[in-house]
Amino acid sequence: MGHMHHMAGGWATPVLSYAMAVVGSALGLRCTVRALTAGGRSKRNWLVSASIAIGAGIWTMHFIAMLGYAVDGTAIRYDIPLTLLSLLVAIAVVGAGVFTAGYGKSRVRSILFGGVGTGLGVAAMHYIGMAAVQLNGTISYSPAVVTASVVIAIAAASAALWAALSVRGPAVAAIAALVMGLAVSSMHYTGMAAVTVDVHASNAPLPGASATAFILPLAVVLGSFLFLTCAFVALSPTARERAEGEAAARPLHEVELPVA
């Protein structure tokens, strides 16, 4: 059995990965809240943005955390198609949950199905991402711990979605993002605790790409996208702010200038 290291690079990888999960969650929840006050194409666009933000955030969190993953006795490589598939699945499954929350008529049902969809998106991304791991050995999982990781993801994602959709205010929004970021990170490390690796001695080169050659550049690109989109969403006016601005500007247009 190969001894595993989850923080081979020290505390930098778990801290940075948690930060990326929080950024993606904050952006996704903010976009979801904006969608509730919008309609038509604008509502759909906000929900698509939320799906991409949360999906990209959890994917970036997972693979930044994986930069600190090492197994004694074997190198680690990643299957590129499966790694990219894990990103697409995360966005698609989270999107199903987010759209359910955005278009649901019942708040309770929206939070329930939205939380389940988002939590399953986190879990699906994680285990497809783990299927992309190539090493000289066999990876096996503890079913009980895998189940616990999925339950953690669903429960915490539902709690974060409830806070974001039910309570207003920047403080609550920040807490919801922190909770959801914690859900993603907790799910990841609980899922990694389920892993056992039986190392096989081999000198054959492993297929796939190294984390620093493929995953790190893509994580940097996605992270930059999330930070820039966060700034855009934070600076864009809400529907209420636009309505107040229009109401304040309307009397100026209605004033009749005196005729000279």
Side-chain angles (χ1 to χ4, degrees), residues 51-246:
S51 305
I52 295 173
I54 297 175
I58 62 178
W59 187 95
T60 305
M61 176 274 146
H62 172 82
F63 282 104
I64 287 179
M66 290 300 289
L67 292 174
Y69 179 66
V71 180
D72 291 343
T74 178
I76 295 177
R77 296 291 185 269
Y78 294 88
D79 181 276
I80 294 177
L82 272 179
T83 302
L84 294 176
L85 176 63
S86 68
L87 173 60
L88 297 178
V89 167
I91 294 174
V93 180
V94 168
V98 166
F99 270 79
T100 300
Y103 283 100
K105 302 299 182 181
S106 167
R107 180 62 56 86
V108 174
R109 191 176 303 165
S110 295
I111 293 172
L112 176 62
F113 287 104
V116 170
T118 303
L120 289 178
V122 175
M125 180 282 308
H126 176 87
Y127 289 106
I128 293 175
M130 287 302 297
V133 173
Q134 307 290 314
L135 47 73
N136 292 317
T138 303
I139 297 177
S140 57
Y141 296 90
S142 166
V145 181
V146 168
T147 301
S149 70
V150 176
V151 170
I152 288 172
I154 292 175
S158 300
L161 197 59
W162 171 82
L165 300 184
S166 303
V167 187
R168 294 293 181 264
V172 176
I175 292 173
L178 292 172
V179 169
M180 193 161 180
L182 183 62
V184 176
S185 296
S186 298
M187 186 273 147
H188 171 83
Y189 286 106
T190 302
M192 295 307 294
V195 174
T196 301
V197 178
D198 185 14
V199 175
H200 305 152
S202 175
N203 294 322
L206 288 167
S210 66
T212 52
F214 169 63
I215 293 172
L216 183 58
L218 186 55
V220 169
V221 170
L222 288 175
S224 300
F225 163 77
L226 290 174
F227 276 108
L228 291 174
T229 309
C230 265
F232 169 77
V233 173
L235 294 175
S236 63
T238 63
R240 180 178 179 181
E241 290 169 345
R242 286 196 300 269
E244 291 175 348
E246 291 172 359

Side-chain angles (χ1 to χ4, degrees), residues 9-22:
W11 283 96
T13 49
V15 170
L16 182 57
S17 63
Y18 174 68
M20 294 311 305
V22 172

